[in-house]
Amino acid sequence: MKKLVILGGGTAGTMVAAKLRPRLDDDEWTITMIDHEPTHYYQPGFLFIPFGIYTPDDVVKPKADFVPAGVDYIEAEIELVEPEDNRVRLGDGTVVEYDYLVVATGTSIRPDETPGLDGPEYGKTIHDFYTLDGAKALAEALRLWEGGRLVLNIVEMPIKCPVAPLEFIFLADSYFQEKGIRDQVELTYVTPLDGAFTKPIAAKHLGSLLEDKKVNLEADFYLERVDADERKLVSYDEREIDYDLLVTIPLNMGADVIARSGLGNEMNYVPVDSGNFLSKQYDNVFAIGDAADLPTSKAGSVAHFAVEVFTENFLRHIEGLPMLLEFDGHANCFIESGHGKGLLIDFNYDTEPLPGKYPLPGIGPFTLLRETEMNHWGKMIFKWTYWNMLLRGKELPLPHEMLMAGKIDEGVR
Amino acid sequence: MPVTTIGDQEIHVDDEGFLTEYDEWNEDLAKELASNIGIAELNDDHWKVISFLRSDYQEQGETATLRRVTAVGGIPTKELFQLFPKKPARKMSYVAGLPKPAGCI
C-alpha cells in the first residue's frame, strides 16, 4: 500500500482529501489527514461576527464531518516532519510514514511578533477578527462602544484574505451609521502599502471609496511597536497614531512545525513551484493553500482553484509522468462594502482585477470592481457553497484558470 | 505600457514610473532612478539592499517585503528607513527596477 499523508484539515487539506480519494484506488492507496484542531472554521465568516451579522454557529462545524469516506483522520499535534526519512512525528510520539506528503497547515496571526501588541490590553482595547475568539471579543467591544477613534492596522503583508481589512472598515462605517453614532466615530485605515488600493485599475474604480465613507488613510506606515498604555501605534520612522480601539491584523506566519522541520522560509511558508506546488526541496512533498509561499493572496479561493490543478498533476506525478497543468494564480473574492452591497474581484499572478461581468461574459450575474447588491448576495450564499460544495470536493461550474472573457481590459497593468 | 528615457536609455515603466521589464535594469540606471527620488549617491549599503532585492525577485517572483529584507537579507529595518527615507518599500523597489509591494487590489 502507498501512503498519502495530508497535514492540516482546513480548507485546502480537506479539499485535497475530497478530490483525491475517489481518484486513488482504495486497494493501492491509504490517505491520512492529520490536524490538531477538532473544529473546522468558515473563516470568511469571521468578518461578520464583530458586527452581529453572523453568530459563532454560522462559522463552526466539527472537522470530522468533512473527512471523506475512506480517509483516515488523526486528531493530534504535528510535532515534526522528517522529510529525509519520509515520516511525521506526532505529539503523542506516534510516527506516521508516508510516500507522499501534502502540507496544508495554513497561516495564522502572530501578535507576539510586534512589541507591545500582545499584552494585557489584547482583547480589551486591542482586537483582531482573524480568530473566532478574537472576533467574539471584538463583537462585545463594538456592542458596548460609545465612539472615539477606531484604528485598523495591517502589520505586514502577506496576510490571509488581503481584502478583509477593507471590508471590516466598510462594514464598520455601515454598522455605526445604523447605530446612530457614526458622527462620534473616527475611522482610520493604516497600511504598510502605499495606499488602500495599490493596483492601478482597482485604484481608478475604487479609489474614492474610503473618502466617500469618511475613512482616514495612513499609508506607508510600517509599525515598529504599539504603546498599549498610551494607546498609540509607533512606526519605524517615528510617526504616531492614537487610537481608542485598535483592530489589528497582526503579522501572519505559517505553522511552527514547518520551521522546526526545516521546510519553511523566514515566514514558515514552504517554498514551492508556483505552477504545480511541488516543494523546491523534496520530490514527494507538496504544499498547498496558505502554507505555500505562492506569490499571491493567501485565500481560500486560491486554494480552491489550486487544488483542481494539483489533483490532476498529482495523479500524473505519482505515475512518474510530467505534470502538465500550470497554476496561473487564479483567485476571486467577494468584498463586502457595507449597506447591503459588495464588490467582486477576479485576478491571477499576472492580471490585476479588471472591471466586467463574472462568471458569464456580459451577463454576470456578478459585476467586477463595482458595488452591487447582487455581489453582496453572492458573498452571503458563498457560505452554503463552502460547507456543501467546496469542502465536499464537488465541482463548481467555474474554470480553474482565469479567463479574460467578460473582462474589460483597460490597457494598463 | 509607457516608454520613457532615463539617461540615454529607453525603458518601459508603469504609470508610476516603476520599471516593468526586469532585464532593462542596470547599475547606471539605478543611479539615475535614485537621483530622481532624491538619493544623490548610492553607497555600499544601498547596493547591498538593491542586489538582495534583484536576486530575491528572480527566485520568488515578487518583491521582498521589508521584513524579508531584514530577516533574509540581514539589513535592519531601521537602516532601510535611513537608506530610503520615509517610504523604503516603495523607494527601494523603484531603484531596483522591480514592482512596488502591492495588495491584490
Side-chain angles (χ1 to χ4, degrees), chain B:
Chain B
M1 208 63 71
V3 178
T4 188
T5 307
I6 290 190
D8 52 6
Q9 232 187 301
E10 273 205 346
I11 53 168
H12 291 81
V13 295
D14 67 14
D15 290 352
E16 293 180 285
F18 286 76
L19 235 70
T20 54
E21 302 299 322
Y22 182 89
D23 293 327
E24 287 179 354
W25 182 92
N26 59 47
E27 293 190 359
D28 286 335
L29 186 67
K31 290 175 196 163
E32 299 279 351
L33 292 169
S35 81
N36 283 352
I37 55 167
I39 300 171
E41 207 188 324
L42 292 174
N43 62 31
D44 289 352
D45 293 330
H46 287 108
W47 285 114
K48 201 176 147 193
V49 177
I50 293 165
S51 59
F52 172 74
L53 283 174
R54 296 275 309 166
S55 63
D56 192 66
Y57 182 85
Q58 234 176 354
E59 271 174 39
Q60 300 294 320
E62 61 183 344
T63 306
T65 60
L66 293 187
R67 191 180 166 94
R68 186 169 167 87
V69 177
T70 299
V72 182
I75 302 143
T77 306
K78 277 276 185 202
E79 195 180 316
L80 295 174
F81 274 86
Q82 284 155 10
L83 293 170
F84 301 94
K86 303 271 186 210
K87 299 178 178 182
R90 189 178 159 86
K91 286 182 176 174
M92 68 189 191
S93 36
Y94 176 79
V95 175
L98 303 173
K100 70 174 182 181
C104 62
I105 52 172

Side-chain angles (χ1 to χ4, degrees), chain A residues 343-366:
Chain A
L343 299 149
L344 178 65
I345 53 172
D346 189 60
F347 59 100
N348 70 11
Y349 289 145
D350 300 319
T351 307
E352 67 175 289
L354 297 171
K357 291 283 187 182
Y358 186 87
L360 298 176
I363 296 170
F366 303 116

